[in-house]
Every structure is written in structure tokens, then in C-alpha cells.
Amino acid sequence: MSSSFSNFRDFGGLEIPDGRVFKSGKLFRCSRLYPKNREDKEFLKGLHLDSVIDLRIPAEVKEKPDKLPKGVEYVNASVFGDTKFQILAPTMKSKLALLGCTDAQFDEIMQGIRDSYAYMPYAHDAYKKLFDRLNQGKTLAFHCTAGKDRTGVAAMMIELALGRTREQAHEQYMLSNQKRQGKNKRLMRFLNKLPLSDKFYECVNYSTRTHDELFEIAADAIFSRYATIEDFLLKEYGVTAKNIADWKEFYTEEK
């Protein structure tokens, strides 16, 4: 069974160096969950989700809400919250604002994206809601709009906590470019018909893709301050060694 949900991934099968793997059908990452047809509805229902953690700002949710099966807990956990980074969220307002930006403002936007990656691991209110559901062993999906940035940082933290290497987490993060390749190509084909500046295209191309440097910024934001992911999660989120052991029980199994 397949779906048309963009950048949808089951963690199942991801390998951990200690010989374990993620269980299938327990943990999912994706873009927004709005079924387009009956097949999508059946696919979403068949996941048997307990919870969906939506990492978008409220304005994104209002414009394009999720549509979930009955009985699924929906949690809006805005990563950007009331911070300056909320302007980076792809709302209709922010997209239209790009049409009037100067070259200097496009440079500021791209720098803002880099700065947001240093901030995101410390988006306590949002990711704590995700980690709380992991502590409970929920079958869950988490997502933002494209499933690559806010979602990518969340996935990185979970993968590292469960023993995957930085290189393995980096590979999964970068996979969004492949998963979104068709969507991004269609967008750029449309935009290239418009008489816009080179900086506009550079900024849009940058913001719609994942980048090695962004992953490294997020990872360094953690490990420049903490020796281990366990230290980070305990200090910043109250996630204990017992919690992580439970995550391993809930979400991984022997290969």
C-alpha cells in the first residue's frame, strides 16, 4: 500500500550499529497529512497511529490543516513558536513577501535558515511534546510542511538517542532531497517562467532543499555544549537513561 504523502518515511529497518533495527509501523516522519483520495485515507487509517505531532506554526496549520482518522491524537507543537524564525515558515504571507525582497534581504533569509538550525535543537516546548509521546511508546508520526527541516532535526535527535551514528543520521536527513526531487523540480520550472532576480531563485532553491552545512550546524549546536546525546536530552528535555531504554524497547528490535 502506498500514498501520495510527500517525503513520507517509516523508520522501520533503519540499522543501529549495536545490531538492532527500528521496528516497522511504529514511528513515521512526513510532510503534512492531508489525504487527497480514498487510497490516502485508507493508507493513513492503516498506520494505526496514536498521535500526530505537527511541528508547524499555527498560521501554517490554519492554511493547510491535517485531516486525520478518528481517534488519532493531534498535537500542534510549533518549533518556531513566537521566535524570529517564524517568518521562515512557508505561509502564503511569507511566500508573497519574497517577491518584494532585495538581494540583501535574500541573503538575510538564507542566513536566517542557518541560524534556525542552531536554534532548533533547543525548541523545548515543541520537541518535549514529541519526546513525551516517545516516553509513552506511542505509535506516532511527526511532520512540518516539507518534512525536512523541523522534522529533520527531530529525526536526527531520535536516531542519535537510539544509537545511530552521526553519519547515519546525516544520510537520512539528506534523503529529503531525493524524496522531494519531483516536487522541487516542478516548483522551479514554474518559477523560472517568471521575471525574478537571480537571488530570488538562489534563495528558493536553498530553502527547498536540505544541505550538509545545515545538518552540521544543528549537530554542532548540540555537541559543542554536550559530550553525548544522552547528556543533552537529559539536561534540555528531562529525557532520562530509563526513558531512552524504553524508546529502544518500544521502537527497536534485534535484527
Side-chain angles (χ1 to χ4, degrees):
M1 184 181 293
S2 62
S3 76
S4 60
F5 298 121
S6 173
N7 205 4
F8 185 96
R9 286 178 252 173
D10 185 339
F11 278 65
L14 291 182
E15 295 187 348
I16 302 169
D18 66 1
R20 298 179 72 83
V21 296
F22 276 81
K23 294 178 182 177
S24 296
K26 288 294 294 179
L27 193 60
F28 307 91
R29 54 174 292 182
C30 49
S31 59
R32 78 173 182 120
L33 292 172
Y34 188 88
K36 297 178 181 178
N37 51 47
R38 183 173 60 82
E39 288 75 16
D40 284 353
K41 290 179 181 178
E42 290 300 314
F43 176 84
L44 199 54
K45 185 177 179 181
L47 298 178
H48 304 292
L49 295 171
D50 296 316
S51 304
V52 167
I53 310 298
D54 185 344
L55 303 171
R56 298 177 295 169
I57 68 171
E60 290 172 277
V61 176
K62 184 177 181 180
E63 287 183 1
K64 295 183 177 181
D66 285 351
K67 187 175 182 180
L68 305 176
K70 290 182 179 179
V72 177
E73 178 194 31
Y74 172 82
V75 181
N76 184 210
S78 175
V79 170
F80 292 151
D82 294 329
T83 71
K84 63 181 180 181
F85 300 115
Q86 63 182 302
I87 65 170
L88 298 174
T91 62
M92 186 60 65
K93 180 180 179 180
S94 67
K95 292 175 184 176
L96 290 174
L98 288 178
L99 298 175
C101 285
T102 64
D103 285 359
Q105 287 172 323
F106 284 127
D107 287 337
E108 289 176 3
I109 291 170
M110 288 188 284
Q111 184 57 50
I113 294 171
R114 297 181 186 101
D115 292 343
S116 76
Y117 267 77
Y119 157 77
M120 279 194 277
Y122 297 90
H124 298 101
D125 291 345
Y127 292 130
K128 188 175 188 309
K129 293 175 182 176
L130 171 60
F131 297 152
D132 283 348
R133 271 71 186 180
L134 294 178
N135 291 343
Q136 297 166 29
K138 301 288 189 180
T139 297
L140 62 87
F142 58 93
H143 74 87
C144 49
T145 290
K148 65 183 181 68
D149 298 307
R150 291 163 285 186
T151 299
V153 170
M156 175 193 73
M157 293 189 289
I158 293 169
E159 289 181 57
L160 293 175
L162 290 175
R164 295 217 344 132
T165 67
R166 184 161 166 163
E167 291 74 21
Q168 287 173 318
H170 172 262
E171 181 180 15
Q172 277 298 304
Y173 167 78
M174 292 300 294
L175 188 60
S176 286
N177 287 337
Q178 178 181 324
K179 293 285 188 179
R180 291 181 49 80
Q181 186 175 37
K183 183 180 287 288
N184 288 343
K185 282 184 175 179
R186 289 191 294 273
L187 173 63
M188 295 310 295
R189 275 200 302 268
F190 169 75
L191 292 176
N192 282 328
K193 298 176 183 177
L194 305 177
L196 299 166
S197 70
D198 290 343
K199 275 290 184 181
F200 174 93
Y201 296 117
E202 180 186 355
C203 184
V204 170
N205 188 55
Y206 189 86
S207 66
T208 54
R209 296 177 57 80
T210 52
H211 302 273
D212 295 326
E213 69 164 344
L214 297 180
F215 179 89
E216 296 303 327
I217 288 170
D220 287 346
I222 294 172
F223 295 112
S224 64
R225 294 175 59 181
Y226 293 95
T228 67
I229 190 69
E230 292 85 1
D231 290 344
F232 164 77
L233 289 172
L234 179 61
K235 179 66 174 180
E236 298 295 335
Y237 290 97
V239 173
T240 66
K242 173 63 165 59
N243 292 143
I244 293 175
D246 288 342
W247 295 7
K248 289 180 179 178
E249 178 67 24
F250 295 143
Y251 300 107
T252 75
E253 61 189 359
E254 293 292 337
K255 191 171 178 179

